[in-house]
Coordinates of all heavy atoms in Angstrom, one line a residue:
Chain A
V4 N -14.6 0.5 15.1 CA -15.3 -0.6 14.6 C -14.4 -1.8 14.4 O -13.4 -1.8 13.6 CB -16.0 -0.3 13.2 CG1 -16.9 -1.5 12.7 CG2 -16.9 0.9 13.4
E5 N -14.7 -2.9 15.1 CA -14.1 -4.2 15.0 C -14.8 -5.2 14.2 O -16.1 -5.3 14.5 CB -13.6 -4.7 16.4 CG -12.6 -3.8 17.0 CD -11.9 -4.4 18.2 OE1 -12.2 -5.6 18.5 OE2 -11.1 -3.7 18.8
Q6 N -14.2 -6.0 13.3 CA -15.0 -6.9 12.5 C -14.3 -8.2 12.6 O -13.1 -8.4 12.5 CB -14.9 -6.4 11.0 CG -15.6 -7.2 10.0 CD -15.7 -6.6 8.6 OE1 -15.5 -5.4 8.5 NE2 -16.1 -7.4 7.7
H7 N -15.1 -9.3 12.7 CA -14.6 -10.6 12.8 C -15.5 -11.7 12.1 O -16.7 -11.4 12.0 CB -14.5 -11.1 14.3 CG -13.7 -10.2 15.2 ND1 -12.3 -10.4 15.2 CD2 -13.9 -9.2 16.0 CE1 -11.8 -9.5 16.0 NE2 -12.7 -8.8 16.5
P8 N -15.0 -12.7 11.5 CA -13.5 -13.0 11.4 C -12.8 -12.2 10.3 O -13.6 -11.6 9.5 CB -13.5 -14.5 11.1 CG -14.8 -14.7 10.4 CD -15.8 -13.8 10.9
S9 N -11.6 -12.3 10.2 CA -10.9 -11.7 9.1 C -11.0 -12.5 7.8 O -10.9 -11.9 6.7 CB -9.5 -11.3 9.5 OG -8.8 -12.5 9.8
T10 N -11.0 -13.8 8.0 CA -11.3 -14.7 6.9 C -12.3 -15.7 7.3 O -12.4 -16.1 8.5 CB -10.0 -15.4 6.4 OG1 -9.5 -16.2 7.5 CG2 -8.9 -14.4 6.0
L11 N -13.1 -16.2 6.3 CA -14.2 -17.2 6.5 C -14.3 -18.0 5.4 O -14.5 -17.5 4.2 CB -15.5 -16.4 6.9 CG -16.7 -17.1 7.1 CD1 -16.6 -18.1 8.3 CD2 -17.9 -16.3 7.3
S12 N -14.2 -19.2 5.5 CA -14.3 -20.2 4.5 C -15.5 -21.2 4.8 O -15.6 -21.7 5.8 CB -13.0 -21.1 4.3 OG -13.2 -21.9 3.2
V13 N -16.5 -21.2 3.8 CA -17.6 -22.1 4.0 C -17.9 -22.9 2.7 O -17.4 -22.6 1.6 CB -18.9 -21.2 4.3 CG1 -18.7 -20.3 5.5 CG2 -19.3 -20.3 3.1
Q14 N -18.7 -23.9 2.9 CA -19.0 -24.8 1.8 C -20.3 -24.2 1.1 O -21.2 -23.6 1.8 CB -19.3 -26.2 2.2 CG -19.1 -27.3 1.3 CD -17.6 -27.4 0.9 OE1 -16.8 -27.3 1.8 NE2 -17.4 -27.7 -0.3
E15 N -20.3 -24.3 -0.2 CA -21.5 -23.8 -0.9 C -22.8 -24.3 -0.3 O -22.9 -25.5 0.0 CB -21.4 -24.2 -2.4 CG -22.5 -23.7 -3.3 CD -22.4 -24.1 -4.8 OE1 -21.4 -24.7 -5.0 OE2 -23.3 -23.7 -5.6
G16 N -23.8 -23.4 -0.1 CA -25.0 -23.8 0.4 C -25.1 -23.6 1.9 O -26.2 -23.5 2.5
D17 N -23.9 -23.4 2.6 CA -23.9 -23.2 4.0 C -24.2 -21.7 4.3 O -24.2 -20.9 3.3 CB -22.5 -23.6 4.7 CG -22.4 -25.1 4.7 OD1 -23.4 -25.8 4.6 OD2 -21.2 -25.5 5.0
S18 N -24.4 -21.4 5.6 CA -24.6 -20.0 5.9 C -23.2 -19.4 6.4 O -22.3 -20.0 6.8 CB -25.6 -19.9 7.1 OG -26.9 -20.2 6.6
A19 N -23.2 -18.0 6.2 CA -22.0 -17.3 6.7 C -22.5 -16.1 7.6 O -23.5 -15.5 7.2 CB -21.3 -16.8 5.5
V20 N -21.7 -15.9 8.6 CA -22.0 -14.8 9.6 C -20.8 -14.0 9.9 O -19.7 -14.5 10.2 CB -22.6 -15.4 10.9 CG1 -22.9 -14.2 11.8 CG2 -23.8 -16.2 10.7
I21 N -20.9 -12.7 9.7 CA -19.8 -11.8 9.9 C -20.3 -10.8 11.0 O -21.4 -10.3 10.9 CB -19.4 -11.0 8.6 CG1 -19.0 -12.0 7.6 CG2 -18.3 -10.1 9.0 CD1 -18.8 -11.4 6.2
K22 N -19.4 -10.5 12.1 CA -19.9 -9.8 13.2 C -19.0 -8.5 13.3 O -17.8 -8.6 13.1 CB -19.8 -10.6 14.4 CG -20.7 -11.8 14.4 CD -20.6 -12.6 15.7 CE -21.5 -13.8 15.7 NZ -21.5 -14.6 17.0
C23 N -19.7 -7.5 13.7 CA -19.0 -6.2 13.9 C -19.4 -5.6 15.3 O -20.6 -5.7 15.6 CB -19.3 -5.2 12.8 SG -18.4 -5.6 11.3
T24 N -18.5 -5.0 15.9 CA -18.9 -4.2 17.2 C -18.4 -2.8 17.0 O -17.4 -2.5 16.2 CB -18.1 -4.8 18.4 OG1 -16.7 -4.7 18.2 CG2 -18.6 -6.2 18.7
Y25 N -19.1 -1.9 17.6 CA -18.8 -0.4 17.5 C -18.7 0.2 18.9 O -19.2 -0.4 19.8 CB -19.7 0.3 16.6 CG -21.2 0.3 17.1 CD1 -21.7 1.4 17.8 CD2 -22.1 -0.8 16.8 CE1 -23.1 1.3 18.2 CE2 -23.4 -0.8 17.2 CZ -23.8 0.3 17.9 OH -25.2 0.3 18.3
S26 N -18.0 1.3 19.1 CA -17.7 1.8 20.4 C -18.7 3.0 20.7 O -19.0 3.3 21.9 CB -16.3 2.2 20.5 OG -16.0 3.2 19.5
D27 N -19.1 3.8 19.7 CA -19.8 5.0 20.0 C -21.3 4.7 20.0 O -21.9 4.4 19.0 CB -19.4 6.0 18.9 CG -20.0 7.4 19.3 OD1 -20.9 7.6 20.1 OD2 -19.4 8.4 18.7
S28 N -22.0 4.9 21.1 CA -23.4 4.6 21.2 C -24.2 5.6 20.4 O -25.4 5.5 20.2 CB -23.8 4.7 22.7 OG -23.5 5.9 23.3
A29 N -23.6 6.7 20.0 CA -24.3 7.7 19.1 C -24.4 7.2 17.7 O -25.2 7.9 16.9 CB -23.6 9.1 19.2
S30 N -23.7 6.2 17.3 CA -23.7 5.7 15.9 C -25.2 5.2 15.6 O -25.8 4.5 16.4 CB -22.8 4.6 15.7 OG -21.4 5.0 15.7
N31 N -25.7 5.6 14.4 CA -27.1 5.4 14.1 C -27.3 4.8 12.8 O -28.5 4.6 12.3 CB -27.9 6.6 14.3 CG -27.4 7.7 13.5 OD1 -26.6 7.6 12.6 ND2 -28.0 9.0 13.7
Y32 N -26.3 4.5 12.0 CA -26.4 4.0 10.6 C -25.3 3.0 10.4 O -24.2 3.3 10.6 CB -26.5 5.2 9.7 CG -26.6 4.7 8.2 CD1 -27.6 4.0 7.7 CD2 -25.5 5.0 7.3 CE1 -27.7 3.5 6.3 CE2 -25.5 4.6 6.0 CZ -26.6 3.9 5.5 OH -26.7 3.5 4.3
F33 N -25.7 1.8 9.8 CA -24.7 0.8 9.7 C -24.8 0.1 8.3 O -25.6 -0.8 8.1 CB -24.9 -0.3 10.8 CG -25.0 0.3 12.2 CD1 -26.1 0.8 12.7 CD2 -23.8 0.5 12.9 CE1 -26.2 1.4 14.0 CE2 -23.8 1.1 14.1 CZ -25.1 1.5 14.7
P34 N -24.0 0.5 7.4 CA -24.1 -0.1 6.0 C -23.0 -1.3 6.0 O -22.0 -1.4 6.7 CB -23.6 1.0 5.1 CG -22.7 1.9 6.0 CD -23.2 1.7 7.4
W35 N -23.3 -2.2 5.0 CA -22.4 -3.3 4.7 C -22.1 -3.2 3.2 O -22.9 -3.0 2.4 CB -23.1 -4.6 5.0 CG -23.1 -5.0 6.4 CD1 -24.1 -4.7 7.3 CD2 -22.2 -5.7 7.2 NE1 -23.8 -5.2 8.5 CE2 -22.6 -5.9 8.4 CE3 -21.0 -6.3 6.8 CZ2 -21.9 -6.6 9.4 CZ3 -20.2 -7.1 7.8 CH2 -20.7 -7.1 9.1
Y36 N -20.8 -3.5 2.9 CA -20.2 -3.4 1.6 C -19.6 -4.7 1.1 O -19.0 -5.3 2.0 CB -19.2 -2.2 1.4 CG -19.8 -0.8 1.6 CD1 -19.9 -0.3 2.8 CD2 -20.2 -0.1 0.4 CE1 -20.4 1.0 2.9 CE2 -20.7 1.1 0.5 CZ -20.8 1.8 1.8 OH -21.4 2.9 1.9
K37 N -19.7 -5.0 -0.2 CA -19.1 -6.2 -0.7 C -18.1 -5.7 -1.7 O -18.5 -4.8 -2.6 CB -20.1 -7.0 -1.4 CG -19.6 -8.2 -2.1 CD -20.7 -9.0 -2.9 CE -20.2 -10.2 -3.6 NZ -21.3 -10.9 -4.4
Q38 N -16.9 -6.1 -1.7 CA -15.9 -5.8 -2.6 C -15.3 -7.0 -3.3 O -14.7 -7.9 -2.7 CB -14.8 -5.0 -2.0 CG -13.8 -4.4 -3.0 CD -12.6 -3.7 -2.3 OE1 -12.2 -3.8 -1.2 NE2 -12.1 -2.7 -3.0
E39 N -15.5 -7.1 -4.6 CA -15.0 -8.2 -5.4 C -13.6 -7.8 -5.8 O -13.2 -6.6 -5.9 CB -15.8 -8.5 -6.6 CG -17.2 -9.0 -6.1 CD -18.2 -9.2 -7.3 OE1 -17.9 -9.0 -8.4 OE2 -19.3 -9.7 -7.0
L40 N -12.7 -8.8 -6.1 CA -11.4 -8.5 -6.4 C -11.2 -7.5 -7.6 O -11.7 -7.6 -8.6 CB -10.7 -9.9 -6.9 CG -9.2 -9.9 -6.9 CD1 -8.7 -9.6 -5.5 CD2 -8.6 -11.2 -7.4
G41 N -10.4 -6.5 -7.2 CA -10.0 -5.4 -8.1 C -11.2 -4.4 -8.5 O -11.0 -3.5 -9.3
K42 N -12.3 -4.5 -7.7 CA -13.4 -3.6 -8.0 C -13.7 -2.7 -6.8 O -13.1 -2.9 -5.7 CB -14.7 -4.5 -8.3 CG -14.5 -5.2 -9.5 CD -15.8 -5.8 -10.0 CE -15.6 -6.6 -11.4 NZ -16.9 -7.2 -11.8
R43 N -14.6 -1.8 -6.9 CA -14.9 -0.9 -5.8 C -15.9 -1.6 -4.8 O -16.7 -2.4 -5.3 CB -15.7 0.3 -6.4 CG -16.9 0.1 -7.1 CD -17.4 1.3 -7.8 NE -18.5 1.1 -8.7 CZ -19.2 1.9 -9.4 NH1 -18.8 3.2 -9.2 NH2 -20.1 1.6 -10.3
P44 N -15.9 -1.1 -3.6 CA -16.9 -1.6 -2.7 C -18.3 -1.2 -3.1 O -18.5 -0.1 -3.6 CB -16.5 -1.0 -1.4 CG -15.0 -0.5 -1.5 CD -14.9 -0.2 -3.0
Q45 N -19.2 -2.1 -2.9 CA -20.6 -1.7 -3.2 C -21.6 -2.1 -2.1 O -21.4 -3.1 -1.5 CB -21.1 -2.4 -4.5 CG -20.2 -2.0 -5.7 CD -20.9 -2.2 -7.1 OE1 -21.1 -3.4 -7.4 NE2 -21.4 -1.2 -7.8
L46 N -22.5 -1.2 -1.8 CA -23.5 -1.4 -0.8 C -24.3 -2.6 -1.1 O -24.8 -2.7 -2.2 CB -24.3 -0.2 -0.6 CG -25.3 -0.2 0.5 CD1 -24.7 0.0 1.8 CD2 -26.5 0.8 0.2
I47 N -24.5 -3.6 -0.1 CA -25.4 -4.6 -0.2 C -26.6 -4.6 0.7 O -27.6 -5.1 0.3 CB -24.6 -6.0 0.0 CG1 -23.9 -6.1 1.3 CG2 -23.6 -6.3 -1.2 CD1 -23.3 -7.4 1.7
I48 N -26.4 -4.0 1.8 CA -27.5 -3.8 2.8 C -27.1 -2.8 3.8 O -25.9 -2.7 4.1 CB -27.9 -5.2 3.4 CG1 -29.3 -5.1 4.0 CG2 -26.9 -5.7 4.4 CD1 -29.9 -6.5 4.4
D49 N -28.1 -2.2 4.4 CA -27.8 -1.3 5.6 C -29.0 -1.3 6.6 O -30.0 -1.8 6.3 CB -27.6 0.2 5.1 CG -28.7 0.7 4.2 OD1 -29.8 0.0 4.2 OD2 -28.5 1.8 3.6
I50 N -28.7 -0.8 7.8 CA -29.7 -0.9 8.8 C -29.5 0.5 9.6 O -28.4 0.9 9.9 CB -29.6 -2.1 9.7 CG1 -30.8 -2.2 10.6 CG2 -28.3 -2.2 10.5 CD1 -31.0 -3.7 11.2
R51 N -30.7 1.0 10.1 CA -30.6 2.1 10.9 C -30.9 1.7 12.3 O -31.5 0.7 12.6 CB -31.6 3.2 10.4 CG -31.2 3.6 8.9 CD -32.0 4.8 8.5 NE -31.6 5.0 7.0 CZ -30.6 5.8 6.6 NH1 -29.8 6.4 7.5 NH2 -30.3 5.9 5.3
S52 N -30.6 2.7 13.3 CA -30.6 2.2 14.7 C -32.0 2.0 15.3 O -32.2 1.5 16.3 CB -29.9 3.3 15.5 OG -30.5 4.6 15.4
N53 N -33.1 2.5 14.5 CA -34.5 2.2 15.0 C -35.0 0.9 14.5 O -36.1 0.7 14.8 CB -35.3 3.4 14.6 CG -35.3 3.5 13.0 OD1 -34.5 3.0 12.3 ND2 -36.3 4.3 12.6
V54 N -34.2 0.1 13.9 CA -34.6 -1.2 13.4 C -33.6 -2.3 14.0 O -32.4 -2.1 14.1 CB -34.5 -1.2 11.8 CG1 -34.9 -2.6 11.3 CG2 -35.5 -0.2 11.3
G55 N -34.2 -3.5 14.3 CA -33.4 -4.5 14.8 C -33.0 -5.5 13.8 O -32.0 -6.2 14.0
E56 N -33.6 -5.6 12.7 CA -33.3 -6.6 11.7 C -33.8 -6.1 10.3 O -34.9 -5.5 10.2 CB -33.9 -7.9 12.0 CG -33.4 -9.1 11.0 CD -34.0 -10.5 11.4 OE1 -34.7 -10.6 12.5 OE2 -33.7 -11.4 10.7
K57 N -33.1 -6.5 9.3 CA -33.5 -6.3 7.9 C -33.1 -7.4 7.0 O -31.9 -7.8 7.1 CB -32.9 -4.9 7.4 CG -33.3 -4.4 6.1 CD -32.7 -3.0 5.8 CE -33.0 -2.5 4.4 NZ -32.4 -1.1 4.3
K58 N -33.9 -7.7 6.1 CA -33.6 -8.8 5.2 C -33.8 -8.4 3.7 O -34.6 -7.6 3.4 CB -34.6 -10.0 5.5 CG -34.2 -10.9 6.6 CD -35.1 -12.1 6.7 CE -34.6 -13.2 5.8 NZ -35.3 -14.4 6.0
D59 N -32.9 -9.0 2.9 CA -33.0 -8.7 1.4 C -32.6 -10.0 0.8 O -31.4 -10.3 0.6 CB -32.1 -7.6 1.0 CG -32.3 -7.3 -0.5 OD1 -33.1 -8.0 -1.2 OD2 -31.6 -6.4 -1.0
Q60 N -33.6 -10.9 0.4 CA -33.4 -12.2 -0.1 C -32.4 -13.1 0.7 O -32.9 -13.4 1.9 CB -32.8 -12.0 -1.6 CG -33.8 -11.2 -2.4 CD -33.3 -11.1 -3.9 OE1 -32.2 -11.3 -4.2 NE2 -34.2 -10.7 -4.7
R61 N -31.3 -13.4 0.3 CA -30.4 -14.3 1.1 C -29.6 -13.5 2.1 O -28.8 -14.1 2.8 CB -29.5 -15.1 0.2 CG -30.2 -16.0 -0.8 CD -29.2 -16.8 -1.6 NE -28.3 -16.1 -2.4 CZ -27.0 -15.9 -2.2 NH1 -26.4 -16.3 -1.1 NH2 -26.3 -15.0 -3.0
I62 N -29.7 -12.3 2.1 CA -28.9 -11.4 3.0 C -29.7 -10.8 4.1 O -30.8 -10.4 3.9 CB -28.1 -10.3 2.2 CG1 -27.1 -10.9 1.2 CG2 -27.4 -9.3 3.2 CD1 -26.5 -9.9 0.3
A63 N -29.2 -10.8 5.4 CA -29.9 -10.2 6.5 C -28.8 -9.5 7.3 O -27.6 -9.9 7.4 CB -30.7 -11.2 7.2
V64 N -29.3 -8.4 8.1 CA -28.4 -7.7 9.0 C -29.2 -7.6 10.3 O -30.4 -7.3 10.2 CB -28.0 -6.4 8.5 CG1 -29.1 -5.5 8.1 CG2 -27.0 -5.7 9.5
T65 N -28.5 -7.9 11.4 CA -29.2 -7.7 12.8 C -28.3 -6.6 13.5 O -27.2 -6.6 13.4 CB -29.2 -9.0 13.5 OG1 -27.9 -9.5 13.6 CG2 -30.1 -10.1 12.8
L66 N -29.1 -5.9 14.3 CA -28.4 -4.9 15.1 C -28.9 -5.0 16.6 O -30.1 -5.1 16.9 CB -28.8 -3.5 14.6 CG -28.4 -2.3 15.4 CD1 -26.9 -2.2 15.6 CD2 -29.1 -1.0 14.9
N67 N -27.9 -5.0 17.4 CA -28.1 -5.0 18.9 C -27.6 -3.8 19.5 O -26.3 -3.7 19.7 CB -27.6 -6.3 19.5 CG -27.9 -6.4 21.1 OD1 -27.9 -5.4 21.8 ND2 -28.0 -7.6 21.5
K68 N -28.4 -2.7 19.7 CA -27.9 -1.4 20.1 C -27.3 -1.5 21.6 O -26.4 -0.8 21.9 CB -29.0 -0.4 20.0 CG -29.3 0.1 18.6 CD -30.5 0.9 18.6 CE -30.5 2.0 19.5 NZ -31.8 2.9 19.5
T69 N -27.9 -2.3 22.4 CA -27.5 -2.4 23.8 C -26.1 -3.0 23.8 O -25.2 -2.4 24.6 CB -28.5 -3.3 24.6 OG1 -29.7 -2.7 24.5 CG2 -28.1 -3.3 26.0
A70 N -25.8 -4.0 23.1 CA -24.5 -4.6 23.1 C -23.6 -4.0 22.1 O -22.4 -4.2 22.1 CB -24.7 -6.1 22.8
K71 N -24.0 -3.1 21.3 CA -23.2 -2.4 20.2 C -22.6 -3.3 19.4 O -21.4 -3.3 19.1 CB -22.3 -1.4 20.9 CG -23.0 -0.1 21.5 CD -22.0 0.9 22.1 CE -21.4 0.5 23.4 NZ -20.7 1.6 23.9
H72 N -23.4 -4.2 18.8 CA -22.9 -5.0 17.7 C -24.0 -5.4 16.7 O -25.1 -5.2 16.9 CB -22.2 -6.3 18.2 CG -23.1 -7.3 18.9 ND1 -24.1 -8.1 18.2 CD2 -23.3 -7.7 20.2 CE1 -24.7 -8.9 19.0 NE2 -24.2 -8.7 20.2
F73 N -23.4 -5.6 15.4 CA -24.4 -5.8 14.3 C -23.7 -6.9 13.5 O -22.4 -7.1 13.4 CB -24.7 -4.6 13.5 CG -23.5 -3.8 13.0 CD1 -23.3 -3.8 11.6 CD2 -22.7 -3.1 13.9 CE1 -22.2 -3.0 11.1 CE2 -21.6 -2.4 13.4 CZ -21.4 -2.3 12.0
S74 N -24.5 -7.7 12.8 CA -24.0 -8.9 12.1 C -24.7 -9.0 10.8 O -25.8 -8.5 10.5 CB -24.4 -10.2 12.9 OG -23.7 -10.1 14.2
L75 N -23.8 -9.5 9.8 CA -24.3 -9.8 8.5 C -24.5 -11.3 8.3 O -23.6 -12.0 8.7 CB -23.3 -9.3 7.4 CG -23.6 -9.6 5.9 CD1 -24.8 -8.7 5.5 CD2 -22.4 -9.5 5.0
H76 N -25.6 -11.8 7.8 CA -25.9 -13.2 7.6 C -26.2 -13.4 6.2 O -27.1 -12.8 5.6 CB -27.2 -13.6 8.5 CG -27.1 -13.2 9.9 ND1 -26.9 -14.2 10.9 CD2 -27.1 -12.1 10.6 CE1 -26.9 -13.6 12.1 NE2 -27.1 -12.3 12.0
I77 N -25.5 -14.4 5.6 CA -25.7 -14.8 4.3 C -26.2 -16.3 4.2 O -25.4 -17.1 4.8 CB -24.5 -14.6 3.4 CG1 -23.9 -13.1 3.5 CG2 -24.8 -14.9 1.9 CD1 -22.6 -13.0 2.7
T78 N -27.3 -16.5 3.8 CA -27.8 -18.0 3.7 C -27.6 -18.5 2.3 O -27.4 -17.8 1.4 CB -29.3 -18.0 4.1 OG1 -30.1 -17.2 3.2 CG2 -29.5 -17.5 5.5
E79 N -27.6 -19.8 2.3 CA -27.4 -20.6 1.0 C -26.3 -20.0 0.2 O -26.5 -19.6 -1.0 CB -28.7 -20.6 0.3 CG -29.9 -21.2 1.0 CD -31.2 -21.0 0.3 OE1 -31.3 -20.8 -0.9 OE2 -32.3 -21.0 1.0

Side-chain angles (χ1 to χ4, degrees):
Chain A
V4 178
E5 295 195 359
Q6 182 172 344
H7 299 282
S9 56
T10 60
L11 178 60
S12 182
V13 300
Q14 208 66 38
E15 182 177 359
D17 288 350
S18 294
V20 180
I21 301 169
K22 299 181 180 180
C23 289
T24 60
Y25 61 99
S26 60
D27 189 341
S28 56
S30 291
N31 58 8
Y32 174 62
F33 307 91
W35 284 89
Y36 291 85
K37 174 184 180 182
Q38 186 181 26
E39 296 175 357
L40 193 62
K42 296 190 177 179
R43 61 183 166 181
Q45 294 201 294
L46 180 77
I47 54 172
I48 195 166
D49 56 8
I50 191 166
R51 300 189 186 274
S52 58
N53 58 347
V54 175
E56 183 176 359
K57 184 176 178 180
K58 283 187 78 171
D59 183 3
Q60 300 182 343
R61 296 185 297 109
I62 295 173
V64 57
T65 58
L66 171 65
N67 183 326
K68 285 170 53 181
T69 304
K71 289 190 279 189
H72 67 70
F73 56 112
S74 300
L75 178 72
H76 305 253
I77 307 175
T78 58
E79 300 171 26

